[in-house]
Amino acid sequence: MVFNDIYEIGISFYGKTIDLSPVNFSFLLSDSIYSMFPKAKLSINDNEGLFQQYLMSVEGTEVELSFGYKNSFIKNKYIVNTDSLIDSYSGKMGGYLNIELDHFLKTTQSKDMRVFKDTISKIIRRIVDKYDFTKRNINDSGASDYYYQPFINDFDFIENFLLPFSFSNNSKSSPFYCFINSNNEFNYRNYMSIMNGTPSIELKQGSNDVGSISPTNFTKITRFRTDTKYTYEKRHRKITKLLPDGEFDVREDFINDYPDVPFGDLPLIVKDKNNFTGSLQLFDDESTLGKIEVNAGMKIQTMRNAFSLERLLLKLPLNIDLLAGKNVNVIINASNTDKNSESYSGEYLIERSFHKWEGNSNLAETTIIISRKSMRKLDSNIFSIKQRLVKS
Amino acid sequence: MIEMKLFQGKVVNTNDPKKKGRIQVRVLPELENNILVKEKDLPWFEPFFGNSSIELEKKELIKGSIVWIMIDAYWKKFFYLGYYNRDYFFDFEKVLTILNSISDIENKDYDNIRFSLLPDNSLTFHNVSTSESGIIYSTGSFILHKSDGSIYSYSVSDFKFFNDTTTFEISSFKVSLQTSEEVFLSSDNTIEIKSSGNMNIDSEGTMNVKSTGNMEIESTGNVVLKGLEVNITGGIMTVNGTVAPTGSGPFCAIPNCLFTNAPHIGTTVINT
């Protein structure tokens, strides 16, 4: 449905559009490079209780949501996970009906048992070809080996049995991410492949001026810190392996060893040479190239959640091009000046995206969490600045 | 750390192409469909025990049996533990029947006996109380170490002890000792050799028969002493009987002098 001659906002249940003005409902679409499936939350003003009466929020109901501008929008099919009623009117079944939605495939796949003997990317291609996606972005990967799918569904198999060993020489020891975004695009991509291309989107800081409102101008920027639990275990690891002759091989790696080529100028974390903070035991069988790559993949993939080190949260007017797994060039001003901050401006990866429609306030908004691995080196020595700031 | 989970499965192949004692198992129910998961693609499981590099053991589980197996979280490491349910195969009566087939075995208490019954019904056992132990083969042959230290060995067919130069063999029709080395038979007591048939002693070299006591050579038949030169020496020789004249030979047949009637012959020869 085209709303206000600007937005495309649509909800359909089992393929049938419902007769409901967008002012009577809100939703939030979200996706993440760390999660296979995108999610959505839907809130409908069901003051008569009719939606509930017609079982439109029961578990398993198919819901399709489309959102964007009238000529360009994203669309995805979801399935009801759970529902709840808040603000009910005087104990009746009417009120705001909140529905939690999962991606359609999450609970509509069949569990399967199969054996594959191939590279991981070829196995993934074979699997996802069975399903309808708007697009498939699949990077090549190696680690050819036997992979068993022990009566689990396809995407659990990809996430838990294939992704943990993904390896490619082209990825330069950067991890692979596997996820479906809010536009139903399947992605199996490594960090280098995402970040090596020139960003097609440039985001700038907006001003208070109404004329500066644009889907590429962010209105809010904040730091987004995650817990050190993601990085602590990976700062300095003991990598162990039993060798065929019974010897125990012990090596070490550091969080900054990934990727294995220079990337950016200055890593955002300092090596902790003094303390071991984690460990990883590799498989003892390296009898084939595929098995060697399985081990190499495991070393890299366990770094997945610790790969990006600095995160920012940006809020913008609705911009449906901003989806998880895209790289963006972000121009960030230095404080109190109109000059760009050289240390903060640069290329970032969108880790998560949130696209929100708020019917009661006619608000269409995008929030993204962007991250980076390293920063641009400044002319001045950053550590001497640090020393100037710290009183001895 | 490798996290392992316990599963059960059916043994489909024990003929490990790598000859490492592995078995191929159909994991149940995770890989139960033999159309979707072909037998040749099933994972190979290593034995979880007996994996020491200084101790080789090949004792894989029987094809067709249900077994306990362990698999890691990624289905990359596979181990087998043992049979799933002992009720359907573990039967001490089977073992007892085999033990009872050997009357020389003294103690057959379940509590004392450690045993291993092999797929062909051969049995190895050891009595932890008496140290009686042995192997009873499915053919009926057995080797038994008894509690007093004696060793019994029985074969339903040939018996053969041999090394590079010597073979001692007991077969259904002969007992033979064949060797290119010296044979030495010694006893501080009596040695008796008895035969109900013929006895041949054949030597291509010198043969000495010696005794520090008396020696008797006796036959109820004829005795032939034959040699290129026969010497009878070493003391007194007594020959009883008379000589009948034949006109040739070394013995004189005239007992008295024909002229003086003085004795001409005697029974004793001295200075032989």
Side-chain angles (χ1 to χ4, degrees):
Chain A
M1 170 190 285
V2 175
F3 182 65
N4 284 350
D5 204 30
I6 301 172
Y7 299 118
E8 160 64 35
I9 300 168
I11 308 182
S12 64
F13 287 81
Y14 289 113
K16 290 187 177 170
T17 311
I18 56 165
D19 186 18
L20 191 67
S21 168
V23 297
N24 283 318
F25 61 85
S26 303
F27 56 72
L28 177 73
L29 314 177
S30 63
D31 56 12
S32 164
I33 61 166
Y34 299 108
S35 172
M36 179 63 80
F37 296 108
K39 284 183 175 182
K41 283 182 182 178
L42 175 63
S43 180
I44 300 175
N45 183 3
D46 186 24
N47 56 8
E48 298 294 327
L50 284 173
F51 283 95
Q52 297 161 80
Q53 199 173 321
Y54 287 106
L55 305 176
M56 292 174 100
S57 64
V58 296
E59 188 183 314
T61 303
E62 287 178 28
V63 182
E64 192 172 73
L65 296 176
S66 56
F67 190 32
Y69 296 98
K70 65 180 180 183
N71 295 322
S72 167
F73 54 88
I74 54 176
K75 194 155 78 170
N76 222 339
K77 203 156 129 185
Y78 298 91
I79 203 149
V80 173
N81 178 345
T82 181
D83 63 345
S84 60
L85 188 66
I86 56 164
D87 301 334
S88 67
Y89 303 123
S90 312
K92 294 175 185 171
M93 286 301 286
Y96 272 95
L97 178 64
N98 285 345
I99 304 172
E100 304 252 347
L101 300 165
D102 284 326
H103 186 264
F104 178 72
L105 285 176
K106 187 169 181 181
T107 52
T108 55
Q109 308 162 68
S110 174
K111 296 199 176 198
D112 217 342
M113 59 181 76
R114 272 180 297 179
V115 183
F116 298 90
K117 170 83 171 71
D118 215 330
T119 62
I120 290 176
S121 59
K122 282 183 183 167
I123 298 169
I124 288 177
R125 271 197 189 93
R126 274 173 63 187
I127 292 172
V128 299
D129 275 353
K130 293 194 303 189
Y131 299 98
D132 285 331
F133 288 110
T134 313
K135 205 173 169 185
R136 294 173 181 83
N137 303 310
I138 298 174
N139 288 155
D140 284 339
S141 66
S144 178
D145 198 11
Y146 274 102
Y147 294 93
Y148 295 92
Q149 184 176 352
F151 200 57
I152 57 171
N153 66 47
D154 287 340
F155 289 90
D156 276 353
F157 175 58
I158 292 173
E159 194 169 19
N160 300 312
F161 288 73
L162 300 179
L163 188 60
F165 307 110
S166 294
F167 173 84
S168 164
N169 285 320
N170 296 330
S171 79
K172 307 295 177 199
S173 296
S174 73
F176 275 77
Y177 298 90
C178 192
F179 56 95
I180 299 163
N181 67 19
S182 290
N183 194 31
N184 198 33
E185 295 167 5
F186 178 85
N187 292 276
Y188 172 70
R189 302 194 65 192
N190 65 69
Y191 191 88
M192 290 303 262
S193 140
I194 296 170
M195 298 305 285
N196 268 350
T198 310
S200 57
I201 305 168
E202 187 172 273
L203 303 178
K204 291 179 188 165
Q205 195 147 17
S207 67
N208 292 330
D209 181 9
V210 176
S212 81
I213 294 174
S214 155
T216 56
N217 288 357
F218 51 90
T219 54
K220 186 181 174 185
I221 180 168
T222 58
R223 280 202 174 278
F224 187 84
R225 285 283 183 210
T226 50
D227 202 283
T228 52
K229 71 182 177 189
Y230 295 112
T231 51
Y232 170 72
E233 292 274 337
K234 310 295 183 313
R235 283 182 200 159
H236 186 188
R237 296 190 300 183
K238 212 174 247 194
I239 308 290
T240 59
K241 186 175 63 183
L242 268 171
L243 301 177
D245 60 3
E247 289 297 310
F248 194 60
D249 185 58
V250 182
R251 297 178 189 213
E252 59 182 345
D253 71 356
F254 295 94
I255 194 167
N256 291 332
D257 293 345
Y258 305 85
D260 57 16
V261 291
F263 188 78
D265 296 325
L266 195 63
L268 288 161
I269 198 161
V270 182
K271 273 188 182 180
D272 185 350
K273 288 183 180 173
N274 300 326
N275 305 305
F276 277 107
T277 59
S279 66
L280 175 69
Q281 184 162 358
L282 302 177
F283 292 114
D284 53 0
D285 186 359
E286 290 196 337
S287 55
T288 62
L289 175 65
K291 288 184 186 301
I292 292 168
E293 291 183 350
V294 162
N295 268 349
M298 189 154 65
K299 274 201 292 185
I300 299 163
Q301 288 303 110
T302 43
M303 281 286 174
R304 215 159 61 102
N305 289 325
F307 200 73
S308 289
L309 295 170
E310 187 174 49
R311 292 178 177 83
L312 298 171
L313 184 148
L314 305 183
K315 216 165 240 193
L316 311 94
L318 179 66
N319 185 340
I320 47 99
D321 290 329
L322 302 178
L323 295 169
K326 294 198 173 180
N327 66 334
V328 285
N329 192 29
V330 185
I331 313 291
I332 298 171
N333 291 354
S335 58
N336 299 328
T337 71
D338 288 337
K339 275 180 67 181
N340 297 340
S341 162
E342 285 194 18
S343 62
Y344 283 112
S345 297
E347 290 183 29
Y348 286 80
L349 168 70
I350 301 177
E351 286 194 347
R352 294 171 205 185
S353 81
F354 304 88
H355 300 285
K356 183 167 76 173
W357 167 250
E358 260 181 26
N360 52 11
S361 56
N362 278 1
L363 176 71
E365 187 182 69
T366 293
T367 302
I368 53 173
I369 293 167
I370 56 173
S371 69
R372 62 180 180 169
K373 173 83 181 163
S374 56
M375 65 183 284
R376 205 176 292 169
K377 201 169 186 177
L378 304 175
D379 289 340
S380 54
N381 186 322
I382 199 160
F383 288 107
S384 53
I385 294 173
K386 197 172 177 179
Q387 278 163 13
R388 273 199 286 135
L389 291 171
V390 180
K391 284 181 183 172
S392 57
Chain B
M1 183 179 67
I2 298 171
E3 288 179 36
M4 307 295 290
K5 285 185 179 173
L6 197 61
F7 294 83
Q8 60 204 35
K10 190 174 200 172
V11 181
V12 296
N13 190 2
T14 57
N15 191 12
D16 180 5
K18 288 186 176 173
K19 296 182 171 51
K20 297 285 182 191
R22 301 177 305 164
I23 58 173
Q24 213 171 8
V25 177
R26 182 171 291 285
V27 187
L28 302 173
E30 285 76 5
L31 302 178
E32 56 84 19
N33 191 314
N34 55 15
I35 295 166
L36 295 173
V37 182
K38 300 267 186 302
E39 195 166 299
K40 67 180 176 56
D41 294 326
L42 290 168
W44 284 92
F45 289 73
E46 290 176 39
F48 193 70
F49 301 106
N51 266 340
S52 164
S53 58
I54 53 167
E55 180 188 334
L56 293 185
E57 186 182 32
K58 180 175 178 285
K59 202 174 166 183
E60 65 262 3
L61 308 176
I62 297 170
K63 199 171 160 181
S65 58
I66 304 294
V67 294
W68 282 117
I69 46 182
M70 289 203 302
I71 306 172
D72 75 310
Y74 302 111
W75 282 59
K76 290 281 179 199
K77 294 296 291 179
F78 305 94
F79 294 101
Y80 67 86
L81 299 172
Y83 291 109
Y84 168 66
N85 184 351
R86 297 170 82 81
D87 276 353
Y88 74 87
F89 71 91
F90 195 94
D91 184 2
F92 184 66
E93 287 302 316
K94 275 191 201 173
V95 173
L96 200 57
T97 303
I98 297 170
L99 291 173
N100 282 335
S101 70
I102 314 295
S103 58
D104 298 298
I105 298 170
E106 293 153 6
N107 187 317
K108 294 155 190 166
D109 292 344
Y110 171 81
D111 192 32
N112 292 323
I113 291 188
R114 303 281 178 271
F115 59 84
S116 174
L117 182 63
L118 298 167
D120 68 342
N121 283 327
S122 292
L123 176 79
T124 62
F125 71 96
H126 181 87
N127 190 311
V128 293
S129 167
T130 65
S131 287
E132 193 175 35
S133 63
I135 306 172
I136 303 165
Y137 299 96
S138 57
T139 56
S141 298
F142 67 85
I143 299 165
L144 175 65
H145 171 264
K146 289 175 66 72
S147 57
D148 62 1
S150 56
I151 292 176
Y152 290 15
S153 185
Y154 169 76
S155 167
V156 294
S157 182
D158 293 356
F159 226 127
K160 202 169 185 178
F161 299 94
F162 60 99
N163 64 13
D164 288 346
T165 56
T166 304
T167 301
F168 176 64
E169 190 173 1
I170 303 170
S171 70
S172 53
F173 59 93
K174 72 171 178 181
V175 177
S176 76
L177 172 66
Q178 218 170 2
T179 180
S180 57
E181 304 297 325
E182 279 188 4
V183 177
F184 186 71
L185 182 64
S186 172
S187 169
D188 291 337
N189 215 315
T190 304
I191 296 174
E192 273 192 37
I193 303 170
K194 273 188 184 174
S195 168
S196 303
N198 297 332
M199 185 180 291
N200 298 316
I201 301 172
D202 217 334
S203 170
E204 291 178 3
T206 305
M207 184 185 285
N208 294 313
V209 181
K210 275 185 184 174
S211 172
T212 54
N214 294 331
M215 185 184 287
E216 269 185 37
I217 299 169
E218 185 181 332
S219 171
T220 53
N222 296 330
V223 175
V224 177
L225 191 62
K226 189 176 171 185
L228 197 61
E229 192 180 317
V230 179
N231 288 317
I232 299 170
T233 182
I236 299 165
M237 184 176 83
T238 302
V239 180
N240 291 324
T242 56
V243 178
T246 58
S248 63
F251 298 109
C252 178
I254 301 171
N256 294 93
C257 178
L258 294 173
F259 305 103
T260 63
N261 205 32
H264 200 214
I265 56 174
T267 57
T268 303
V269 180
I270 60 168
N271 297 326
T272 55

